[in-house]
């Protein structure tokens, strides 16, 4: 395969990963995006999609003037759309909603960020959809703002030492937020407990000198997708683990796609006791465009599927019974959802009995050992040399461990 010729739009707050073309609520009822209008498509306006009815439909929410291309939009659980604009160096927030033929707008207030900061960006939709948060990274610390759902406009929720990026919700209540924190030249995922005043605790450290990011998490099974350079110093690889587990983070060879950018964007919910059976949807960006990959930890291969026409790239969700739904927009069908019953996904009739659930020896991070009884574990009857350093425990001290059924 030739070297990638495309550069997907990157989100610097997401570890440099590609930006999705729309945002979907955690429960999957609504989506929001910036749409184009006017001759030549040079005018932008927010658009809300309703996804939980018999057929998806879109409602345009144009304001008094066109939006800037960089305006962020996010659906709320009640159907309103949060809009984040930048005006005169201030980050301005408002809620949009349809009012007959027009658009209603509820101003929420503004946030001023220091000039030496790295801007402010919305975090993914909070489970429940009643609140919304944003990260404002500064040179020495990062402020977590609650920008919607509060009593008095934007409020400081926490201040986190170090420069933070990413943002993954770890539970169904919107209490536990994982962010990737850069301190001392290294990036490690940490957890912010919003019910304890923004208390910060370590979540992910595969090796002392590795960059370890949390990319995606499923609160039901505890399955997490991780980006780390621990197995290949200087080059990030995609791995997986389970919250609260002491087993090694695993880095399957099948997730190494040369000359492509692989970004997980959806995990099948409801697999409470079997995280290895969760279907994971991957956005794959290569030299010839973007397509969809489907993978499960129990499998050692990725199933590549062509992207449906008009896919809002990087956006989608799984149903509990294993159907992947991808929002699409074409001139003929401006608001549509492609439904893919991917083979090999539980609930779709495509299971492959006997698929190995255990990783090959090279799938674990260097320096990690296996539990007794695992394939590849050392013989515990023979004396073992003392380790040079403590075994790195992935997801160590995870505060969510006591909340996750394993």
């Amino acid at each position: 395969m030739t070297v990638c010729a495309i550069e997907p739009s990157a989100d610097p707050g997401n570890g440099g990963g590609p930006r999705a073309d729309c945002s979907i609520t955690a429960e999957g009822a609504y989506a929001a995006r910036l749409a184009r209008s006017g001759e030549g498509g040079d005018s932008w306006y927010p658009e809300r999609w309703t996804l939980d009815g018999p057929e998806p439909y879109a409602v345009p929410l144009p304001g008094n003037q066109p939006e800037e291309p960089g305006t962020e939009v996010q659906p709320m659980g009640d159907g309103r759309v949060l809009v984040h604009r930048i005006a005169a160096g201030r980050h301005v927030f408002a809620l949009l909603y349809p009012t007959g033929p027009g658009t209603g707008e509820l101003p929420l207030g503004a946030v001023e960020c220091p000039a030496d900061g790295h801007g402010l960006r919305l975090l993914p939709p909070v489970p429940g959809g009643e609140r919304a948060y944003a990260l404002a990274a500064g040179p020495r610390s990062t402020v977590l703002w609650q920008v919607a759902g509060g009593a008095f406009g934007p409020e400081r929720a926490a201040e986190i030492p170090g420069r933070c990026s990413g943002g993954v919700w770890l539970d169904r209540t919107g209490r536990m937020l994982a962010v990737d924190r850069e301190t001392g030249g290294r990036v490690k995922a940490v957890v912010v407990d919003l019910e304890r005043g923004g208390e910060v605790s370590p979540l992910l450290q595969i090796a002392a000198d590795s960059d370890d990011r949390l990319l995606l998490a499923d609160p039901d099974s505890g399955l997490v997708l991780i980006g780390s350079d621990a197995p290949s110093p200087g080059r990030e690889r995609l791995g997986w683990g389970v919250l609260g587990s002491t087993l090694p983070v695993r880095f399957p060879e099948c997730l190494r796609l040369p000359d492509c950018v692989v970004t997980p964007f959806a995990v099948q919910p409801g697999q409470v006791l079997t995280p290895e059976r969760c279907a994971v949807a991957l956005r794959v960006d290569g030299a010839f465009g973007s397509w969809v990959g489907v993978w499960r930890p129990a499998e050692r291969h990725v199933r590549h599927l062509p992207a449906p026409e008009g896919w809002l790239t990087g956006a989608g969700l799984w149903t509990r019974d294993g159907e992947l739904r991808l929002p699409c927009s074409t001139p003929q069908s401006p608001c549509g959802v492609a439904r893919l019953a991917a083979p090999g996904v539980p609930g779709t009739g495509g299971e492959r009995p006997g698929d190995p659930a255990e990783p090959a020896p090279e799938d674990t991070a260097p320096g990690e050992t296996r539990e007794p009884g695992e394939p590849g574990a050392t013989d515990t009857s023979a004396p073992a040399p003392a380790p040079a350093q403590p075994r790195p425990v992935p997801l160590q001290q995870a505060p969510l461990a006591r909340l996750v059924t394993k």
Side-chain angles (χ1 to χ4, degrees), residues 14-34:
N14 190 32
R19 187 192 306 271
D21 287 347
C22 84
S23 175
I24 305 176
T25 57
E27 292 72 27
Y30 296 102
R33 66 163 184 154
L34 276 187

Side-chain angles (χ1 to χ4, degrees), residues 254-282:
C254 65
L255 296 181
R256 299 181 69 180
L257 303 181
D259 306 318
C260 292
V261 178
V262 182
T263 308
F265 65 89
V267 180
Q268 180 187 3
Q271 312 300 302
V272 177
L273 300 178
T274 54
E276 73 281 354
R277 304 297 296 177
C278 289
V280 179
L282 309 169

